Amino acid sequence: MSLIKQQDRTRSQESSAAIERMYITMRHLFNRGFYKPMGVSGETLREALLILRPEIYGTIAEEKVELNGLLYVIDRLPEGIEECRYINLTSDEGYKDSHFKPIVPPKRRRNCYRIDDEQMNIEITRGRSEIYDILTHLTFLFVESHKIMKRVVINEEGHTTRDWQKLEKAVLAEEPLSQQDREIALTHTANILGRTFHEVSSIYSKFSAPNNEKRFLKLVYWLGKRAIEEIVENDKRLVTFSPVLRERLGHHIHGEVWADNIKKELENKDLLRRPIHIISANMHSVMNTLFAPVALAKEMVKKNNLEIYETLSNAGSGKLRSRVEKTAQQHGMLFIPDQSGTNIDVQIFDTAKLDLAQNNFCSKTEYIKGKEPVIIVMDYAFGEQAYETMEELLKPYEDKRKTVHLDVKSVSIMGKAGILEGGKGDIMIPSAHLFEGTADNYPFENQLKKEDLEGHGISVFDGAMITVLGTSLQNRDILRFFYESTWNVIGLEMEGAHYQKAIQAAAKLRGSISDEVKVRYAYYASDNPLETGSTLASGGLGTTGVKPTYLITEQILEQIFRD
């Protein structure tokens, strides 16, 4: 038993060291300004990733190509990036005003621009976490591309297998593939990837995009082609960081503009001096909780609240969602679409215009005039961006004539997280945030308690949460160490420590807000990275996340209106 514990400890230490090397290396490469992912400069990243073997990247350390990990990564990178030799990470440098059409990955809101046949520009507006995320995904992508290359190149002259030649013919054909031609191409692709025909057939449609039905075949082909060119022609792919990005990073340029826009709207609507409650959540749960009972009163007669929320979550419920949004805007909701580059939209709710009596979770029905709460709902931040945006939002509002300190009564954070005990849809109530890779820890008094959310058929866990440097580096050995040790870690996410660091600094050190500000943190589980087949790469939550989302939202609002 002691030998097994020693082996587990050694593996977790090796994995922890690999993560540390990756981040030190990525910072060094960023400062350098460029690197070749499959050259000498990218070797440390590749080696660390292969030692780490993150759960999301599945079989990265094996010879066969990892399909689910490839799907996860490609949904977070711009379409066509596999064709590009040159990938340039930039700041917001004016490309939105050019003829270049922005390419937005389906699972990451970031603007990307295809400059020419060989170059892709990716705009970085969310700080270092976004750079780490992209570089990790690119490293995985290029490692997989060399797996393809090794399976199709048969000699030093660059001659290729028959399977590769057949795949090339299918990809370069301009006409759509018939079912027979597609299945023939998938047969050859399965041989190239070291996968079964059933595996590649099953995942083929998941890669398809509008006007790009052959995306999976094209992805395999271009990844392999660029890797072949690297080996045969020594034409290495290159990642560069623009001088403007390197100069601006860490200066809170986007966060400052974002926060100023919110405060100006509050001032314009005469809301700046009212009690303020900040909620970090999605853009539908608070709005639906407050206004669906009013907007959909007829439907509510036939269904309970949860059934209505599940209906609103369906893709085909656009008309119902529009009715709720229209009702919200008629009763004090202001929507502020992001113009700053943070990709964080905001809703402001003036509860003076809200009929509290129509919400059965609100214990109060009236407030003293001028003391009605103002609720600011900000969309999810990304990693370190949480510190930048929260710090800027909590600063006093300043113009040429005055300085106004915001009367922030509470900050509530709701989001998705990986869980270490339990499964998808379960709820986590943290008592502290630990920052991965450091000894930094942030204990706090969470106004949300385990008992507040129990009794609804969902498991609820409380304990510490670890704020990871990136979800793409989830490693089972490290997570098991935190779960089984005295740290009492129940889950992992990317923003908690950053939010808490900003809140503590504003309340305890800088005096920007009251030191009696209340904090609430609650997460619902998107995956369990300790369980095989239950990582983020295994797919989304579907409607599983609806019930915990609205249970948490109702509890947050109930506490806001009770205070």
Side-chain angles (χ1 to χ4, degrees):
M1 183 64 71
S2 61
L3 180 61
I4 293 173
K5 284 187 176 180
Q6 180 63 41
Q7 288 173 338
D8 288 344
R9 189 181 300 114
T10 301
R11 281 197 294 269
S12 67
Q13 288 169 341
E14 287 176 350
S15 300
S16 183
I19 289 178
E20 187 176 357
R21 281 201 304 276
M22 285 197 74
Y23 282 94
I24 291 171
T25 302
M26 283 192 274
R27 286 202 173 199
H28 163 71
L29 296 175
F30 175 76
N31 290 331
R32 181 188 184 199
F34 70 94
Y35 81 105
K36 296 176 181 177
M38 299 308 292
V40 175
S41 53
E43 187 174 0
T44 303
L45 286 185
R46 299 196 308 273
E47 288 179 352
L49 200 62
L50 290 171
I51 290 171
L52 194 59
R53 297 190 299 277
E55 302 307 310
I56 284 174
Y57 295 152
T59 58
I60 185 174
E62 299 178 19
E63 288 186 9
K64 58 185 178 182
V65 173
E66 166 57 34
L67 296 181
N68 286 324
L70 193 60
L71 180 61
Y72 178 86
V73 165
I74 215 66
D75 277 346
R76 286 154 178 81
L77 293 173
E79 187 174 351
I81 195 167
E82 68 277 2
E83 301 176 18
C84 298
R85 286 192 182 92
Y86 306 103
I87 297 165
N88 186 25
L89 274 57
T90 74
S91 180
D92 180 358
E93 299 177 20
Y95 289 103
K96 63 178 178 291
D97 300 320
S98 68
H99 76 282
F100 297 114
K101 184 179 179 181
I103 306 169
V104 181
K107 298 292 179 68
R108 282 283 186 269
R109 287 180 299 169
R110 56 170 70 106
N111 289 333
C112 309
Y113 301 92
R114 185 74 178 264
I115 303 304
D116 53 38
D117 290 345
E118 294 185 315
Q119 181 176 336
M120 181 73 74
N121 280 15
I122 303 176
E123 272 188 6
I124 304 296
T125 59
R126 298 181 175 192
R128 289 189 181 89
S129 295
E130 190 168 20
I131 294 175
Y132 299 156
D133 188 58
I134 291 169
L135 295 190
T136 310
H137 289 339
L138 289 177
T139 302
F140 165 79
L141 200 64
F142 295 156
V143 166
E144 296 300 303
S145 76
H146 273 241
K147 288 184 190 177
I148 296 169
M149 177 273 298
K150 289 175 183 176
R151 296 183 71 93
V152 301
V153 174
I154 56 179
N155 57 33
E156 293 181 357
E157 284 73 38
H159 295 157
T160 54
T161 63
R162 178 174 176 271
D163 287 320
W164 179 256
Q165 293 162 15
K166 293 292 185 180
L167 172 63
E168 183 174 48
K169 182 179 178 181
V171 167
L172 298 182
E174 293 185 5
E175 63 277 1
L177 295 177
S178 65
Q179 181 180 349
Q180 179 181 349
D181 290 338
R182 183 175 69 249
E183 291 182 351
I184 291 172
L186 286 175
T187 300
H188 296 297
T189 304
N191 289 337
I192 292 169
L193 301 180
R195 294 286 183 172
T196 66
F197 176 78
H198 174 72
E199 286 175 316
V200 295
S201 298
S202 299
I203 207 163
Y204 178 84
S205 61
K206 295 179 182 178
F207 280 87
S208 296
N211 304 317
N212 192 2
E213 188 260 345
K214 293 194 290 187
R215 188 182 180 207
F216 177 64
L217 299 178
K218 290 180 179 179
L219 179 66
V220 173
Y221 171 72
W222 281 104
L223 285 176
K225 181 176 173 62
R226 292 304 183 208
I228 292 169
E229 291 169 349
E230 285 192 325
I231 297 303
V232 176
E233 303 171 21
N234 199 31
D235 195 355
K236 301 289 186 185
R237 284 168 284 195
L238 185 69
V239 175
T240 55
F241 308 92
S242 78
V244 177
L245 174 65
R246 292 159 65 199
E247 178 187 333
R248 286 181 177 176
L249 191 72
H251 291 180
H252 291 199
I253 292 170
H254 302 287
E256 184 178 6
V257 173
W258 173 83
D260 284 347
N261 289 341
I262 297 169
K263 293 167 194 173
K264 285 174 185 174
E265 287 290 346
L266 291 172
E267 174 76 335
N268 292 340
K269 301 295 181 182
D270 199 25
L271 302 174
L272 193 65
R273 292 160 182 82
R274 295 253 296 273
I276 291 173
H277 298 266
I278 299 168
I279 303 176
S280 172
N282 52 59
M283 288 285 99
H284 55 78
S285 56
V286 173
M287 179 179 69
N288 289 347
T289 304
L290 290 174
F291 296 103
V294 180
L296 307 176
K298 292 181 180 178
E299 289 81 355
M300 283 288 190
V301 174
K302 302 174 185 177
K303 298 181 179 181
N304 61 37
N305 284 16
L306 180 61
E307 290 172 327
I308 287 290
Y309 299 146
E310 286 180 344
T311 302
L312 288 168
S313 299
N314 293 333
S317 299
K319 290 184 178 178
L320 290 178
R321 287 199 295 269
S322 296
R323 277 171 56 187
V324 175
E325 186 172 352
K326 184 177 179 181
T327 302
Q329 290 171 339
Q330 291 170 345
H331 292 82
M333 186 191 85
L334 175 67
F335 177 65
I336 307 176
D338 177 60
Q339 303 289 334
S340 66
T342 61
N343 283 308
I344 299 177
D345 295 331
V346 169
Q347 295 163 330
I348 297 175
F349 297 88
D350 178 3
T351 63
K353 299 178 181 178
L354 177 68
D355 186 355
L356 298 177
Q358 291 187 324
N359 292 279
N360 55 17
F361 55 84
C362 298
S363 55
K364 282 194 178 183
T365 56
E366 60 180 338
Y367 284 88
I368 298 170
K369 187 170 178 59
K371 295 296 182 181
E372 302 93 342
V374 173
I375 300 173
I376 299 174
V377 179
M378 56 181 285
D379 208 345
Y380 298 120
F382 187 76
E384 289 185 12
Q385 186 191 35
Y387 176 78
E388 173 181 340
T389 50
M390 187 60 71
E391 186 198 38
E392 295 296 333
L393 184 56
L394 297 180
K395 285 180 178 178
Y397 173 68
E398 297 181 357
D399 67 12
K400 295 178 181 178
R401 295 166 295 165
K402 59 186 179 299
T403 298
V404 180
H405 285 73
L406 276 63
D407 183 16
V408 178
K409 297 295 187 184
S410 73
V411 181
S412 303
I413 312 297
M414 179 187 75
K416 291 186 293 186
I419 196 168
L420 302 185
E421 180 181 351
K424 288 186 177 184
D426 289 344
I427 291 174
M428 291 157 279
I429 306 295
S431 56
H433 286 292
L434 315 173
F435 191 31
E436 180 186 37
T438 73
D440 297 352
N441 54 87
Y442 302 90
F444 51 85
E445 178 63 31
N446 195 344
Q447 298 300 306
L448 292 172
K449 306 297 181 186
K450 183 178 179 181
E451 52 269 26
D452 293 333
L453 293 152
E454 289 181 318
H456 298 280
I458 293 177
S459 297
V460 184
F461 303 89
D462 58 1
M465 299 279 288
I466 182 169
T467 298
V468 297
L469 296 161
T471 54
S472 58
L473 296 182
Q474 287 180 0
N475 172 271
R476 191 173 300 174
D477 299 315
I478 294 177
L479 298 179
R480 186 174 287 112
F481 165 76
F482 276 111
Y483 174 59
E484 295 175 353
S485 72
T486 54
W487 284 107
N488 187 32
V489 170
I490 56 170
L492 62 149
E493 46 73 61
M494 281 187 66
E495 291 80 31
H498 303 299
Y499 276 130
Q500 189 59 26
K501 182 168 60 173
I503 296 165
Q504 286 183 191
K508 307 292 185 183
L509 297 176
R510 308 181 75 172
S512 301
I513 60 174
S514 168
D515 62 0
E516 295 182 0
V517 63
K518 295 180 178 179
V519 294
R520 303 179 187 93
Y521 290 88
Y523 301 92
Y524 57 95
S526 57
D527 64 304
N528 186 331
L530 291 182
E531 292 182 4
T532 301
S534 188
T535 67
L536 285 171
S538 66
L541 274 167
T543 57
T544 309
V546 174
K547 187 173 182 179
T549 296
Y550 285 94
L551 281 176
I552 295 168
T553 304
E554 287 184 358
Q555 189 58 227
I556 289 172
L557 291 173
E558 185 178 306
Q559 291 194 10
I560 287 173
F561 290 120
R562 188 173 64 206
D563 293 342

